Amino acid sequence: MLSSWSYSMTRSLVVVLVLAAVSIPQADARSIREGDCEVCLKTVQKFIDASKAAKAKKPAKIESVIEKECSKFKDTKEQRLCYYIGATDDAATRMIQAVSKPISHFLPAKKICEKLKKKDGQICQLRYEKPIDLEGVDISKLRVKQLKNILSKWGEKCKGCTEKRDYVKLVENLKQKYAPSPNQKSEL
């Protein structure tokens, strides 16, 4: 039979082990797994590269570089990230310091995104859309939203388009300019 001292020690040991087991998954949940935060990682890396190119070392200067980069983005996911961190004019919050300070301290993009994930989980929910292979797909079978996305990536807008066939026709016409077939590339 266990003495009261050994019983309390055994009980204390069990409590410590349970607490340790519960805290380990939480630490892992904070870190970014493969495939998570892809938009954040690439966009923050662009901010880091632009800050280095501009030789910006102070957070205030880095913030202006970030705002300038955000104004250049055409991809809607990158624009959304800029909105989340407050680097756009219409942003409701201002978290841009959570990006500029770590960049000034030379933290890598992964660590910055981990910190941003703690503040706002939506940041790591952003994902790039899978690219559409225009050679292997029937454009008339695509949805209007997909056709609009193709046009926006090309920097084009369909003025006066009211029906799906208008979008299909425009994408078909511009396809040669923006996504030439492999046979045409070799001829050039």
Side-chain angles (χ1 to χ4, degrees):
M1 186 156 176
L2 293 172
S3 67
S4 64
W5 180 80
S6 61
Y7 177 74
S8 64
M9 286 302 289
T10 306
R11 190 171 172 191
S12 299
L13 182 62
V14 169
V15 169
V16 169
L17 290 174
V18 168
L19 289 175
V22 170
S23 66
I24 290 171
Q26 289 177 348
D28 188 47
R30 287 186 210 130
S31 65
I32 296 174
R33 293 185 209 125
E34 190 69 34
D36 282 353
C37 293
E38 63 180 330
V39 175
C40 181
L41 291 169
K42 288 183 181 178
T43 307
V44 170
Q45 189 59 50
K46 289 179 185 179
F47 295 154
I48 292 170
D49 295 341
S51 298
K52 285 180 183 176
K55 297 181 181 167
K57 295 185 180 177
K58 299 202 182 236
K61 177 76 171 150
I62 293 171
E63 286 174 26
S64 65
V65 169
I66 291 171
E67 289 170 349
K68 185 177 176 185
E69 284 296 308
C70 284
S71 67
K72 294 179 189 176
F73 289 145
K74 300 235 186 274
D75 189 274
T76 56
K77 303 300 179 179
E78 292 171 344
Q79 290 171 345
R80 178 65 50 160
L81 181 89
C82 289
Y83 174 80
Y84 287 157
I85 65 170
T88 59
D89 296 332
D90 61 341
T93 60
R94 189 97 170 129
M95 277 190 351
I96 196 167
Q97 298 88 5
V99 179
S100 63
K101 275 190 177 180
I103 289 175
S104 70
H105 295 300
F106 305 104
L107 263 87
K110 185 176 180 179
K111 290 292 182 188
I112 295 170
C113 289
E114 285 174 2
K115 289 183 178 193
L116 290 174
K117 183 179 179 182
K118 289 178 194 175
K119 292 186 178 202
D120 188 357
Q122 289 180 325
I123 288 174
C124 281
Q125 291 174 352
L126 292 172
R127 304 232 187 284
Y128 287 112
E129 293 178 18
K130 295 177 184 172
I132 299 170
D133 177 26
L134 293 175
E135 288 302 313
V137 72
D138 183 8
I139 293 175
S140 63
K141 304 267 184 198
L142 295 176
R143 296 175 180 247
V144 173
K145 183 179 180 180
Q146 292 172 313
L147 295 169
K148 286 181 178 179
N149 284 341
I150 290 169
L151 291 172
S152 72
K153 285 180 184 173
W154 290 345
E156 300 282 344
K157 286 192 176 183
C158 191
K159 295 176 182 149
C161 292
T162 55
E163 296 181 10
K164 179 179 175 178
R165 64 184 154 148
D166 298 330
Y167 287 100
V168 170
K169 186 177 177 183
L170 183 62
V171 170
E172 285 286 350
N173 291 340
L174 294 173
K175 183 171 129 177
Q176 301 304 320
K177 180 179 177 184
Y178 292 104
S181 65
N183 296 338
Q184 291 177 336
K185 286 181 183 177
S186 63
E187 293 173 5
L188 298 175

